[in-house]
């Protein structure tokens, strides 16, 4: 259902090839939705390639990120489903592409994976980072 999760991102342009920023995700959905992240905080750094325009920070990029995740992991055991709360740090990489039109509107696609530390059978050992962002460059 649309509107159950708030995910906001800020990106600061350090140079035309390098940016850094962060994302915050808050899940307002009811328990039992089976989306494992209830809250996440994700600082990141990006290196942009192939674009040499004056303002830069657009086009293809590689991203490294760290992530703190608090969530609920759903497990099945002999056809009995139960949930476990977890809190884990994670580190990962992503690849993406950013398009910016002449008015400053942004479309960004991103896909990546992270490795969760302290993972056990009671929480996931990897996390997926995927975004389709619409925004505006100020």
């Amino acid at each position: 259902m649309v509107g159950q999760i708030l995910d906001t991102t800020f990106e600061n342009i350090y140079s035309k090839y390098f940016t850094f920023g962060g994302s915050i995700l808050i899940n307002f959905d009811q328990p039992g939705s089976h989306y494992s992240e209830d809250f996440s905080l994700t600082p990141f750094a990006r290196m942009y390639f192939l674009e040499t325009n004056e303002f830069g920070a657009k086009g293809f990029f590689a991203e490294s990120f760290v992530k703190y995740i608090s969530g609920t992991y759903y497990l099945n055991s002999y056809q009995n489903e139960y949930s476990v709360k977890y809190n884990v740090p994670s580190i990962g990489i992503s690849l993406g592409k950013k398009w910016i039109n002449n008015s400053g509107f942004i479309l960004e696609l991103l896909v990546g994976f992270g490795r969760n530390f302290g993972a056990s059978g009671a929480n996931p050992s990897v996390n997926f980072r995927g975004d389709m962002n619409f925004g505006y460059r100020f």
Side-chain angles (χ1 to χ4, degrees):
M1 179 176 267
V2 176
Q4 300 292 324
I5 296 174
L6 172 66
D7 188 358
T8 183
T9 300
F10 173 79
E11 184 177 11
N12 185 43
I13 300 172
Y14 183 76
S15 72
K16 65 182 176 180
Y17 299 112
F18 180 76
T19 66
F20 58 91
S23 295
I24 296 174
L25 179 139
I26 302 170
N27 184 357
F28 295 106
D29 204 357
Q30 300 297 319
S33 69
H34 298 287
Y35 184 75
S36 65
E37 292 181 21
D38 296 330
F39 172 81
S40 69
L41 179 63
T42 311
F44 60 81
R46 292 180 179 170
M47 183 65 72
Y48 285 85
F49 301 96
L50 307 175
E51 293 288 335
T52 58
N53 293 343
E54 181 181 346
F55 296 107
K58 65 179 180 178
F60 176 74
F61 63 85
E63 172 188 275
S64 61
F65 66 88
V66 295
K67 189 174 192 178
Y68 169 75
I69 307 166
S70 176
T72 306
Y73 190 51
Y74 295 91
L75 300 165
N76 286 319
S77 174
Y78 303 108
Q79 299 196 1
N80 292 326
E81 185 174 76
Y82 61 96
S83 62
V84 177
K85 294 278 190 185
Y86 70 96
N87 296 292
V88 293
S90 177
I91 188 168
I93 58 172
S94 302
L95 297 174
K97 178 129 184 186
K98 181 185 287 188
W99 296 270
I100 304 171
N101 73 4
N102 292 335
S103 300
F105 288 97
I106 297 170
L107 170 63
E108 176 183 293
L109 300 174
L110 167 80
V111 64
F113 291 92
R115 172 74 167 99
N116 295 344
F117 294 99
S120 66
N123 56 38
S125 59
V126 296
N127 69 75
F128 173 74
R129 178 162 163 74
D131 284 327
M132 182 171 70
N133 295 320
F134 301 99
Y136 185 77
R137 180 178 279 185
F138 296 97

